[in-house]
Amino acid sequence: MTTEEKQSAENAPHYDIIVIGGGAAGLAGALTLGRARRSVLVVDAGQPRNASAEASHNYLTRDGVPPAELLAAGRAEVAGYGGEFVAGEVVAAESVAGGGFRVVLGSGATARARRLLVTSGLVDELPDVPGLAGRWGRDVLHCPYCHGYEVRDRAIGVLSTGPMGVRQALLWRQWSAEVRLFLHTGPEPTDEQYEQLAARGIAVVDGEVSEVEITGWSGAGDDRISGVKLAGGTVVPCEALVVAPRFDVCGKVIDSLGLEVAGKAAGDGSVLGRHVVAEPGGATRIPGVWVAGNVADPMAKVSGATAMGVHAATEINFDLVEEDTRRAVEVRRRGQEAA
């Protein structure tokens, strides 16, 4: 580190905790820490995973609230307890001599903190099918508990891209009697699976999907999926399409801190994506760094991510209490020796 960089680090604002990510997990953690009378800075890149969804669901007392509205309310609550915010991406973070961390934003600004809570979320890597990505979070879906009720009783297609396809189709059958499994690039179902699908009235469509067909005009707000086009040219009616995205952690801060990343496996052993390895309370193998939300658990819903943020925050505060106590004891002992 150059002399100029050292001076910049020394002059950077200091906080008890810097929260990297302003989604549900980050805001819940910041709120808990603010109420614990800790100084908190939330760095938010402004790219929540559920930004394209019309509403958040299964969040008690807030079911159906648009994601942006939910986050705005959370930010106001955090600010009410003294929490501070800065817009931007943390491009690097490092431990510093004497304890604590220094974070660097894309703008070049820096800040210091005694502890870090990383809630930078994940990226959904979608199947490469024309027309699909633009419908993500609207009528291209992956979680029935988040959006199943909104497409109930419609013609639902399940795009198989891996071993989870059959399981997805059977699950989504709970919300509609008209479910089709498009084999696409997924494996052929076993005889037992074919029997299960037939028993539940789920049709199986062979061949790869070449395109998602859209009707209506986005400017009028009436655009929607109308069908799935197969490579051979056949169009199968469809009003909602279920996919299995690959989940991957995001945020340059993860690499700069050297956090351990591992594959997240489904019940059948297939890898769903990557996540940061952490203890149940969010503690990582890097002392002083906690994680919460989708960066730690790709399957966490909004309510689950919120709970994870609260849990991690309570652990962080207790860790700081222990450090504060050690320092107070050291000061007391030095005073007694001087006397």
Side-chain angles (χ1 to χ4, degrees):
M1 182 181 293
T2 65
T3 302
E4 184 177 345
E5 289 174 330
K6 290 180 179 178
Q7 291 176 342
S8 176
E10 292 172 357
N11 295 329
H14 286 56
Y15 299 88
D16 288 324
I17 305 97
I18 292 178
V19 179
I20 302 172
L27 292 176
L31 179 64
T32 303
L33 291 163
R35 285 178 52 81
R37 309 186 73 179
R38 297 293 182 183
S39 57
V40 182
L41 173 68
V42 179
V43 182
D44 184 15
Q47 298 175 335
R49 181 189 179 197
N50 61 354
S52 60
E54 292 184 356
S56 298
H57 293 288
N58 288 327
Y59 199 135
L60 193 62
T61 77
R62 293 295 181 270
D63 184 64
V65 175
E69 184 178 326
L70 192 65
L71 294 180
R75 289 169 66 93
E77 290 178 355
V78 172
Y81 290 99
E84 299 180 25
F85 292 86
V86 62
E89 179 188 6
V90 173
V91 296
E94 61 181 358
S95 57
V96 296
F101 301 87
R102 172 179 175 264
V103 302
V104 182
L105 278 65
S107 63
T110 63
R112 293 274 300 273
R114 297 168 64 187
R115 302 291 186 271
L116 297 180
L117 174 56
V118 180
T119 62
S120 51
L122 58 78
V123 173
D124 294 293
E125 298 178 355
L126 303 175
D128 186 16
V129 175
L132 184 149
R135 309 301 303 179
W136 178 237
R138 301 167 67 187
D139 39 25
V140 170
L141 313 164
H142 84 285
C143 174
Y145 301 104
C146 299
H147 306 291
Y149 190 81
E150 281 61 50
V151 296
R152 65 194 182 280
D153 299 326
R154 298 185 190 178
I156 298 174
V158 176
L159 187 70
S160 178
T161 54
M164 291 290 289
V166 171
R167 183 177 179 181
Q168 280 186 296
L170 292 171
L171 179 60
W172 279 84
R173 175 62 179 80
Q174 175 65 26
W175 282 265
S176 175
E178 190 176 351
V179 176
R180 292 183 178 88
L181 174 64
F182 293 90
L183 291 185
H184 192 49
T185 59
E188 181 83 8
T190 64
D191 290 343
E192 181 183 5
Q193 289 174 328
Y194 267 122
E195 183 179 29
Q196 292 173 342
L197 293 167
R200 293 291 282 160
I202 299 171
V204 178
V205 182
D206 292 319
E208 289 195 24
V209 172
S210 63
E211 185 180 353
V212 175
E213 292 206 334
I214 312 297
T215 60
W217 180 47
S218 61
D222 62 354
D223 56 323
R224 57 184 175 81
I225 288 180
S226 59
V228 171
K229 187 175 183 179
L230 302 178
T234 302
V235 177
V236 181
C238 181
E239 297 175 274
L241 185 62
V242 175
V243 301
R246 185 180 187 278
F247 309 122
D248 201 5
V249 294
C250 61
K252 298 175 182 177
V253 65
I254 293 172
D255 292 332
S256 66
L257 285 169
L259 295 174
E260 181 181 359
V261 176
K264 180 69 173 181
D268 61 0
S270 59
V271 177
L272 301 175
R274 303 192 309 157
H275 70 109
V276 174
V277 177
E279 298 295 324
T284 70
R285 69 180 186 86
I286 307 299
V289 180
W290 275 256
V291 292
N294 285 147
V295 72
D297 181 3
M299 305 306 291
K301 312 298 187 289
V302 174
S303 55
T306 300
M308 293 172 71
V310 172
H311 192 173
T314 59
E315 286 206 3
I316 291 171
N317 183 63
F318 191 75
D319 190 52
L320 287 171
V321 166
E322 290 185 323
E323 182 176 274
D324 292 339
T325 302
R326 288 195 300 270
R327 290 178 176 177
V329 169
E330 291 172 359
V331 170
R332 183 174 185 275
R333 287 175 178 174
R334 285 197 296 269
Q336 291 177 332
E337 291 174 357

